[in-house]
Amino acid sequence: MKPDRQLAKYLASLGYGSRKEMEAAIRAGRITGAGDDLRFDGDPLDPAPGMVLMMNKPAGFTCSRADQGRLVYELLPPRFLQRSPPLSTVGRLDADTTGLLLFTDDGNLLHRLISPISSTEKTYEATLARPLEGHETELFASGDLMLRGEEKPLLPARLEITGERSARLTITEGRYHQVRRMFAAAGNHVEALHRARFGALDLGKLGQGNWRLLSEQEISSLF
Ligand code: URA
């Protein structure tokens, strides 16, 4: 393939436009620089495939097109939705849950992180409808808590009670509505839920609704 056609194909895979549009953009001189410093209209190119980004998800946005409401993808640059391979969320957060949500276009990395045998810790801060009773820490750590409708008990989880109606819960699994269902099994109800950590990563100063790319080092720290 001629270098320009190859470049047009690459730019199209990053979501900048169709191959034809990218060939025209190249002819018009909109692509400048070389090697690792290619620019489109003067701006550095979006990351190559293999990217991972974190978002501080606001409430009211869903991770799945199957759910009602605005999608978390609306908070990213529109061309990220046109990328191939596609970008997807690493697991899901409920529409009402806020906090650390990862996205990647790396299928391998995605599967390693969401696999049932992944031991990556996820930490949630929960605000509860009723005061904690004190027995929850032992119940969640026991390794034999069964969620309704399931056949396998939950792996042990770590609960730190941080207030009368607030707690920090660290889990390694990612079952459907897991945190809400765990507190329901303990006779309580989650009123607000925020994911504060994913593996070694926390949100730092990232504001709600904002996102940023992870460095290579941060990506390796996930495992
Ligand atoms: N557990 C839940 O119940 N909801 C989430 O969004 C994440 C974990």
Side-chain angles (χ1 to χ4, degrees):
M1 213 186 283
K2 285 169 84 175
D4 276 6
R5 288 181 66 191
Q6 213 161 7
L7 179 58
K9 186 177 171 200
Y10 178 62
L11 293 170
S13 81
L14 295 183
Y16 283 92
S18 68
R19 280 202 215 182
K20 271 215 152 64
E21 287 165 342
M22 293 304 98
E23 282 172 11
I26 294 167
R27 280 197 303 273
R30 295 173 64 191
I31 320 300
T32 51
D36 284 344
D37 189 31
L38 276 182
R39 288 170 179 260
F40 197 115
D41 289 340
D43 294 328
L45 280 195
D46 289 344
M51 75 173 181
V52 185
L53 56 92
M54 73 153 77
M55 177 185 283
N56 185 349
K57 179 191 169 302
F61 285 79
T62 75
C63 293
S64 160
R65 277 166 241 284
D67 296 331
Q68 296 258 316
R70 296 182 65 188
L71 277 170
V72 286
Y73 297 99
E74 292 177 32
L75 299 164
L76 299 173
R79 67 172 175 270
F80 280 14
L81 271 184
Q82 308 302 324
R83 286 173 68 103
S84 171
L87 196 61
S88 51
T89 61
V90 177
R92 289 180 185 168
L93 291 178
D94 300 334
D96 289 348
T97 303
T98 58
L100 204 164
L101 178 64
L102 296 177
F103 294 73
T104 188
D105 59 1
D106 181 338
N108 219 342
L109 185 133
L110 174 67
H111 286 113
R112 281 168 68 200
L113 286 173
I114 63 175
S115 145
I117 57 167
S118 155
S119 54
T120 305
E121 292 192 339
K122 277 96 36 181
T123 299
Y124 294 85
E125 285 160 5
T127 307
L128 301 152
R130 291 179 275 284
L132 286 145
E133 291 172 358
H135 70 286
E136 299 87 350
T137 310
E138 208 181 314
L139 178 68
F140 293 170
S142 68
D144 46 35
L145 176 62
M146 293 287 287
L147 292 180
R148 195 176 288 180
E150 298 209 356
E151 285 170 4
K152 261 179 85 175
L154 291 174
L155 290 174
R158 198 167 64 245
L159 184 74
E160 299 157 67
I161 296 179
T162 52
E164 195 189 26
R165 294 192 303 112
S166 62
R168 194 174 296 125
L169 177 61
T170 299
I171 61 178
T172 54
E173 298 169 285
R175 300 198 203 178
Y176 183 66
H177 293 328
Q178 181 167 337
V179 174
R180 294 175 200 273
R181 289 163 76 210
M182 286 172 76
F183 282 104
N188 213 320
H189 175 77
V190 171
E191 283 193 332
L193 192 59
H194 175 80
R195 181 154 70 189
R197 296 192 79 89
F198 193 113
L201 300 177
D202 63 31
L203 286 164
K205 293 196 165 70
L206 192 66
Q208 233 179 47
N210 294 342
W211 62 274
R212 71 169 179 83
L213 288 170
L214 296 192
S215 66
E216 288 293 327
Q217 202 181 354
E218 287 176 314
I219 297 173
S220 353
S221 80
L222 288 168
F223 298 99

